[in-house]
Amino acid sequence: MTNHIAASDASVSVAGFPHLIACKYCDAVYQRADLAEGGRALCSRCGGVLYRESARAYYRLLPLAMTALILFSISNICPVVEIDLMGIRTQTTLWGAVAALYADHMALVAVLVCATTILFPLAEMLMILYLLALMRRKRVPPGFERIVRIIQLGRPWGMIEIYLLGVVVTLAKLSSMAEIMPGVGLWSFGLLVVVLAAMLSFDPRDLRQYLAKAPQ
């Protein structure tokens, strides 16, 4: 059963204080309390979820991040789709799509696609791997607070799932005019979306409670 609790108020900044947490909806600050397995703490002001008991999610996060990075590499190396139109076969990768947009004088769109489907997701995966690798060694990662804030700010800009949806819709429309053959990159993208969704269920702010257990 999920536990609903309200934490006690605290009127100090959370920066550098892993035992405190701020509500992301109304900015109220609370003293972090221990929760039972599956429990969650609620903001007494707005009712928003402050944090969850996420020990299991934390221990799964490193394998998920490594899996996501492998799938991401495959998705960007292997062809996403191959199209056979009147005997002429063409295939493309994500980088090829970005290059094609730029070559067609759509530089702004190319930059947006590159940033939201390549740069931001890759940056988040690398930052999470950096933090977790050092934390597993019982070390405090340099720049921990700044990196967590960057991950939080960058998450809304990672739009791999939107790119995948756009590809599927485009392929559905082209299927009546040409033979469409999904490539390894497309299947890898589908798996990547699932793995990233599992990663996104973990709030990077919760890493602070595990950081507090590491030697300073």
Side-chain angles (χ1 to χ4, degrees):
M1 178 180 297
T2 302
N3 297 328
H4 296 256
I5 71 166
S8 56
D9 283 299
S11 58
V12 294
S13 171
V14 296
F17 296 90
H19 59 286
L20 301 178
I21 187 166
C23 177
K24 61 182 178 181
Y25 304 104
C26 67
D27 295 328
V29 180
Y30 297 89
Q31 179 81 28
R32 184 183 286 271
D34 293 332
L35 300 177
E37 180 66 32
R40 59 178 180 174
L42 303 179
C43 176
S44 59
R45 177 187 294 175
C46 68
V49 177
L50 295 172
Y51 61 94
R52 304 173 187 269
E53 202 297 313
S54 52
R56 290 183 181 177
Y58 169 73
Y59 292 119
R60 291 195 301 260
L61 192 56
L62 182 57
L64 283 173
M66 295 177 66
T67 301
L69 189 59
I70 293 172
L71 291 173
F72 182 84
S73 301
I74 295 174
S75 301
N76 284 278
I77 294 174
C78 298
V80 174
V81 66
E82 185 174 343
I83 301 176
D84 188 339
L85 180 60
M86 301 179 64
I88 301 176
R89 290 199 172 193
T90 58
Q91 61 182 26
T92 185
T93 62
L94 179 55
W95 281 108
V98 173
L101 288 170
Y102 185 82
D104 287 341
H105 307 289
M106 292 186 286
L108 180 58
V109 177
V111 171
L112 288 175
V113 171
C114 182
T116 57
T117 61
I118 298 178
L119 296 183
F120 284 107
L122 178 60
E124 178 176 347
M125 285 183 278
L126 293 177
M127 285 187 288
I128 288 178
L129 284 172
Y130 164 75
L131 293 178
L132 293 177
L134 291 182
M135 291 175 66
R136 287 296 177 93
R137 294 183 176 184
K138 304 299 182 182
R139 293 174 55 188
V140 178
F144 175 84
E145 294 290 342
R146 180 177 299 175
I147 292 174
V148 169
R149 285 196 294 270
I150 292 174
I151 292 174
Q152 288 181 279
L153 291 173
R155 274 191 169 179
W157 295 97
M159 302 181 184
I160 284 183
E161 67 281 0
I162 296 177
Y163 170 80
L164 180 62
L165 180 60
V167 170
V168 172
V169 171
T170 301
L171 294 181
K173 291 183 176 181
L174 290 175
S175 61
S176 61
M177 298 182 294
E179 183 181 355
I180 306 298
M181 290 158 284
V184 175
L186 184 61
W187 299 114
S188 180
F189 257 115
L191 292 175
L192 178 60
V193 169
V194 175
V195 174
L196 288 179
M199 288 179 57
L200 290 175
S201 66
F202 185 90
D203 190 338
R205 298 182 303 170
D206 290 343
L207 287 173
R208 294 188 181 95
Q209 64 180 305
Y210 300 99
L211 175 65
K213 301 175 184 179
Q216 303 296 321

